[in-house]
Amino acid sequence: MSLLIPNAHAQPPGIDDVKIGDKWLLGRVEWLWLPVLGDNVKARIDSGAKTSSMSATEIEEFRKDGKRWIRFSFSHKNHLEQLEAPLSRYVRIRQANSKKLDRRPVILLPVQLGGMEKEVEFTLKDRTRMIYPVLLGREFMAKDVLIDPSRLYIQPLREK
């Protein structure tokens, strides 16, 4: 199968990691392994979003070893976990349907998607009413991802 790239072929389903050349092929939704949860969660791949986002409620900043940290609840369907992570920074984000800026904390977490392992910056926002608890934006994709929006779950699911 080629995707308008001469001499580029995706591996057939069932091969461990699906790549085209040196780029990872992702569908519009993938299973993302979050070591902090010890589980996979559904993640929507969103090339329209710059930063990745994770569902969080009860967000509170605190100090640990003299550094700023964030404590929050990750609550989505069959998950309810209290998590902690170092605070990277705060960002202001404007929702597409609003003129008001929303101030959100940003944390850095390790993730795995198929054979890809990355440290990803996530803004924290209540996504409990959304279908997907995690949204992966352009910064996650960087220079090593291609998206096939007609497909779902291209990369293999990591076993617990």
Side-chain angles (χ1 to χ4, degrees):
M1 170 177 90
S2 69
L3 296 174
L4 303 176
I5 303 171
N7 303 318
H9 301 282
Q11 297 169 338
I15 301 296
D16 289 339
D17 301 310
V18 182
K19 293 179 92 172
I20 295 178
D22 62 345
K23 302 205 184 276
W24 299 94
L25 183 62
L26 304 181
R28 70 180 177 270
V29 178
E30 292 287 347
W31 286 107
L32 182 72
W33 175 260
L34 290 170
V36 70
L37 282 180
D39 203 358
N40 294 288
V41 296
K42 290 180 182 181
R44 184 168 68 96
I45 310 304
D46 186 352
S47 63
K50 180 181 177 187
T51 310
S52 298
S53 180
M54 173 180 289
S55 187
T57 58
E58 302 172 19
I59 300 168
E60 93 180 78
E61 184 178 327
F62 68 99
R63 289 194 106 38
K64 183 176 183 178
D65 299 326
K67 297 190 174 147
R68 297 179 346 168
W69 280 61
I70 295 290
R71 180 179 296 120
F72 63 98
S73 292
F74 180 87
S75 173
H76 204 275
K77 299 199 174 160
N78 56 346
H79 293 287
L80 178 55
E81 302 281 338
Q82 282 287 103
L83 302 176
E84 295 180 353
L87 173 66
S88 293
R89 60 194 165 96
Y90 281 94
V91 294
R92 294 196 183 277
I93 295 181
R94 178 168 297 143
Q95 291 295 112
N97 58 356
S98 174
K99 292 181 181 181
K100 158 178 127 165
L101 289 174
D102 189 17
R103 184 175 184 254
R104 298 182 192 172
V106 178
I107 61 170
L108 185 67
L109 292 176
V111 302
Q112 184 176 344
L113 199 163
M116 228 186 325
E117 294 182 22
K118 293 187 175 193
E119 295 274 323
V120 178
E121 279 195 330
F122 290 98
T123 63
L124 299 179
K125 171 75 175 163
D126 185 352
R127 298 180 57 84
T128 53
R129 294 184 181 164
M130 310 265 188
I131 296 170
Y132 306 106
V134 173
L135 180 146
L136 294 173
R138 291 188 310 272
E139 289 175 343
F140 167 81
M141 296 172 223
K143 299 173 183 127
D144 57 355
V145 168
L146 293 173
I147 305 166
D148 182 346
S150 70
R151 295 176 62 192
L152 301 168
Y153 309 111
I154 294 172
Q155 293 297 323
L157 175 71
R158 175 172 170 177
E159 298 298 322
K160 292 183 187 181

